[in-house]
Amino acid sequence: MRIIASGEIDACLEDRAVLETLRHAFRSNTIAPRTSPIPIDRPDHLTGTLSLQPAWTDFAAQGDVSRGYVGCALSLDLPEQPGLASSLYLLFSGSGGQPVALLDGMRLNAWRTSALHALAAGYLSREDTSRLLVIGDDPRLPRLVSAYAEVRNLSSVLLAGTSQGTRSRIGGLAALRDVHVGETGDIRTALDGADMVCIAGLDHQAGHLDALAALDPPAGCHIDVLDPSAPLPELLLQEARLFTSDLAAPPLTGLEWAADMKELTRGSKAGRRYYGQRTLFLPGSGTGLADHALAAHIFLKT
């Protein structure tokens, strides 16, 4: 069994190939059952969780087991270290059942998340999208912005509430060599010129929640929600055309979801219906299908 560390994952991947791997995965018949997090009792009445995200090739539909894999993402989140969940991905041979690879789940997560959101943006944002506004901070943002640049010809990236370290990493991206990268503290004004908005982790002390409560993107804007806990305005959720990764388990109930990634990639449902329509993408918690596809791609590339 090979152990594939973060450096090896970065060395063998590039945005275009990862985007196409996920596009193919959503069009495939890969089986990805949902599982519930397993509670782990800790001292002082605290509880951690162990989450499993299994997936495997549809061997029955395929008619043989000579190709394909069985995989499972394992994520451990303990209350003593909030926000620092550790994860691994275990990949088995579909023919013999032997484990073939153990991958760094954190790095797999960064590549999968960025590709998922960028793939959605390729279907949902306007083709002439060039001005990106990022609100908040997240260590995956440099990877995500690089993937955005693969699906849209960006000319400007404005960062609001993003840490100095993240800003420096984004500014140094090869994919943004000819792109203006700046920062702003005036989110409301920056919104007026944005073609696409990414909502990342928000700083409760910096007034970002107030700005988000009044979030009113211009007509035709695509809103990509990286932070699933972001409190989105009810009016925006009612007016925008909503999309998620898997309609079998949408992230919010009581809303009218237009389509998921399977329907978008297969062309069975439309994305943006007209130029001035606002679209919003909020993924669900299930990542088994995308993780399985990307882990197999990495295994074959290393």
Side-chain angles (χ1 to χ4, degrees):
M1 181 179 71
R2 295 212 305 266
I3 296 178
I4 305 176
S6 59
E8 294 176 272
I9 292 175
D10 287 342
C12 78
L13 295 181
E14 52 91 16
D15 290 316
R16 173 50 55 187
V18 176
L19 285 165
E20 293 308 317
T21 295
L22 260 59
R23 194 191 315 273
H24 179 75
F26 283 112
R27 290 172 175 170
S28 73
N29 294 321
T30 301
I31 298 172
R34 294 188 60 81
T35 62
S36 299
I38 302 169
I40 300 175
D41 292 337
R42 309 288 283 181
D44 301 321
H45 305 288
L46 299 175
T47 303
T49 56
L50 176 65
S51 300
L52 311 177
Q53 298 258 9
W56 55 86
T57 304
D58 189 346
F59 300 105
Q62 186 172 280
D64 66 79
V65 297
S66 62
R67 52 192 171 86
Y69 302 93
V70 176
C72 187
L74 300 93
S75 178
L76 180 62
D77 190 1
L78 298 179
E80 293 84 354
Q81 294 183 311
L84 296 176
S86 57
S87 62
L88 296 168
Y89 196 90
L90 183 58
L91 193 67
F92 299 86
S93 164
S95 57
Q98 67 272 25
V100 293
L102 184 66
L103 294 85
D104 181 332
M106 300 298 288
R107 202 61 195 147
L108 182 73
N109 174 295
W111 280 93
R112 180 254 301 149
T113 299
S114 63
L116 173 63
H117 285 262
L119 186 63
Y123 284 99
L124 303 176
S125 65
R126 300 194 319 261
E127 290 188 6
D128 63 353
T129 290
S130 64
R131 296 165 297 184
L132 169 67
L133 171 63
V134 177
I135 304 173
D137 196 21
D138 189 288
R140 298 169 295 183
L141 278 175
R143 179 79 270 125
L144 175 57
V145 174
S146 178
Y148 281 151
E150 186 65 39
V151 299
R152 288 293 179 257
N153 186 22
L154 298 179
S155 63
S156 170
V157 177
L158 271 181
L159 307 170
T162 308
S163 69
Q164 177 60 50
T166 302
R167 290 198 302 269
S168 297
R169 291 169 60 204
I170 291 175
L173 290 170
L176 302 186
R177 188 175 294 109
D178 299 319
V179 176
H180 169 73
V181 179
E183 56 180 305
T184 181
D186 189 349
I187 295 175
R188 288 181 174 84
T189 300
L191 271 173
D192 291 338
D195 300 318
M196 179 162 65
V197 177
C198 172
I199 300 174
L202 303 175
D203 185 346
H204 291 225
Q205 306 301 319
H208 296 156
L209 292 181
D210 292 338
L212 194 60
L215 188 70
D216 187 22
C221 188
H222 173 58
I223 303 97
D224 187 22
V225 185
L226 182 62
D227 178 7
S229 67
L232 301 171
E234 187 65 27
L235 184 60
L236 176 63
L237 291 173
Q238 294 297 330
E239 290 186 351
R241 187 162 163 83
L242 306 181
F243 301 85
T244 187
S245 50
D246 184 2
L247 280 176
L252 296 173
T253 58
L255 296 173
E256 184 178 348
W257 296 93
D260 62 17
M261 291 304 298
K262 287 186 177 180
E263 293 169 324
L264 287 175
T265 56
R266 296 173 182 181
S268 60
K269 290 285 185 68
R272 175 179 297 275
R273 284 180 169 171
Y274 55 91
Y275 186 85
Q277 187 172 46
R278 290 190 291 185
T279 55
L280 185 147
F281 179 72
L282 177 61
S285 59
T287 63
L289 185 150
D291 284 337
H292 176 269
L294 189 51
H297 176 77
I298 293 169
F299 173 67
L300 293 173
K301 294 281 288 185
T302 55

